Amino acid sequence: MDRIGISDRQYLFLFAMTRIALYSLTLLLISSCGLTPSHVNMDMIPLPDELSFEDNYSKITSFSLPESLEIYDDWISEWNKGTSYDIEFIEDKLMTDSYQLDIERSAIKIKAPSVIEARNALSTLLQLRELNNGKYPIASISDKVEFEYRGMHLDVCRHMFSVDEIKQYLDYLAFYKFNNFHWHLTEDQGWRIEIKKYPKLQTIAAFRDETLVGHYNDQPQKYDGKKYGGFYTQEEVKDVVAYAKSRGIQVIPEIELPGHARAAIAAYPELGCSGEETTVATKWGVFDEVYCPKEETFSFLKDVMDEIIPLFPSKYIHIGGDECPKTSWKNSEFCQQLMKQKGLKDEYELQSYFIGEIADYLASKGKTIIGWDEILEGGLNEGSVVMSWRGEKGGIEAARAGHEVIMTPGSHCYFDHYQSTHPNEPVAIGGLTTVEDVYNYNVIPNELTENEAKFVKGAQGNVWTEYISSFKHVEYMALARMTALSEALWNPVASRNFPEYQRRLMSHHSYWTFLGANMANHQYDVSIKIVADPLKGSVALVENKLLNARLFHTNIQGENAELSSGSVILEDEGIHGFFMNDEKGRCGKKTSIKFVPHKLNRATIDFDVPPSSSYPGADPTVLINGVNGSDEKYGGDEWMGFAGQDFGAKITLNEEMDLNDISFRFFKGEGQWIYLPKSIVVQASSDGESYAEVAKSTSISTDTKVAEIQLPLNTNAKYLRIVVKNHGEIQKGKQGAGHEAWLFIDEIRVN
Ligand code: ACM
């Protein structure tokens, strides 16, 4: 399908010419911000393996494709007008996973083992054209795919996006050489794909009465009172799938089961175990209304799959499998009988039975299932593919069991997380996953042997949209991190170079910004780590990875000083600012921190167990550095997270002194499984050997996201022992029931 009508073409051409002229101007402006001015722009992302180029352009400005590449005609025709040259395509079966692209003065040649790899050469051509005002630099490029699965996901259930916006998303994917689009189509909050046999999926399941406003953790929760919803017709789905195909992208639909099924159950209550009526969910989270493993449900799901299969040529169908509470199965006579009859020892095996039924059915139709890592629990059909989202553990286990794996750990691949600690970031679900985190992602977990690693097929960026209601916001959250992931999927860790990538990212940022895309831009931000040093006290270590950056500190009087060493000792209580300049002028916005000194700034801290590697804080001493983390978000440099564990630490002051009181900051985000601790015990000692209890609390509560707990000490000591008890297992009926709670600590302050 061509998105542009014939009558629009001339307009588009004029628009393109204007855009090219203006874009040249933008490039010039950018060069005043630190880019080296040069004739041709070779700032490709992902960076190809080998590249040589002349500082000159090919005579060819448009081309058509040979018959063997005609599947890409619709894509190519959008950027090639009035074609006069035929591109040359040579199939060379021996070039495994690679392509060779030669742009000459009057010819363009692609060599690749098949049309699949040839598509990557076309993506490269498209990037070069767009970065060079419609011209192709004379160049020779040899390039190789590192991972065969390069995916981006989009949740259209929490918020929905138009077909044109989905196509725009696919254009971004093609630009950055992604080859899989994971389309998350069914959820508690809305069913988004037309299933003709079940009309109530369209009239009931596709709409919710209203939507939560603000963050889930905000108390009291508020709603907008507006009906929200819609669905894609099967004709629209075919259009999207064809559009993706012409860009070399496979569309993988996700039809969630057995959990995240509340919208379907709202339409057809008989699909649940209780048969009770429910509503399409209006807030986020996990719900007890899940499919009941009975014949009626399996018939429904098989009918749904019968309509899904012809729409999606993909070998894979994603069946979800995550976050399925077992409450309704535990309370169901029918389920308990079924478990006995089938010899299933618990509800996890019942879930495995449920997924097995659907996997078998799909296998009989030639399809393979992909599921989130929970599908490993209770056993999994051979051949099923696992998406590892709860960290890397599921991926490691699956690879060891011989399942193919796609890595999507929250720490590196969840693009619904915050991407900067800047206070003006729009509300996000939580966490912090910066462009640099994504860029440095090592797709193969270190724990795997070479043989096990072969099962890791690639990685995927996930864009869940609870807090992303417009496509502009999708662009903001996904686009910059998508470029980083594309390079992480393309080049091994050892060959990546973040500052050099950032330089290329600036070209992409100005290109997309000029086209009106809302790409996040945190390249100019400084990163600041405040550490507590036993000799110096609190020290700000300041960094910006942009080439040629100069770093500055603004003191509490508002005076600026360059930090040639990249660090400054904090002494004065108050607001300190940090920013960067390049050689031509300021390019960064200021980041400010509030420093309030206390007696632990010159202490050392030793942990009983280290924090989770997903939430380690910037340094062990951030807990005593005199700077608080965000009141709104956990994660980031200042907060430390402990998964299911108590926090225990020994603090050594640099001398014995009077200690009046101690205070702690904890985060509370029960929707994210983050709970306040059960208790705090503080012991003190003068010699580091005999300790006495000096403070204790067993009632810790708060109405806000952050609890600040102050306890009197009234002691004289050099050593403190602190034990903070984790909340433990999350209670029934709560998000994450049955899992161990997280404990998040930010600052321990002693005055
Ligand atoms: C997921 O994020 N629940 C897969």
Side-chain angles (χ1 to χ4, degrees), residues 158 254 256 260 322-323 372 374 389 414 462 464:
R158 275 54 177 262
E254 180 177 353
E256 270 265 18
H260 288 291
D322 60 320
E323 300 180 317
W372 301 109
E374 286 94 328
W389 73 280
Y414 268 49
N462 291 339
W464 300 102

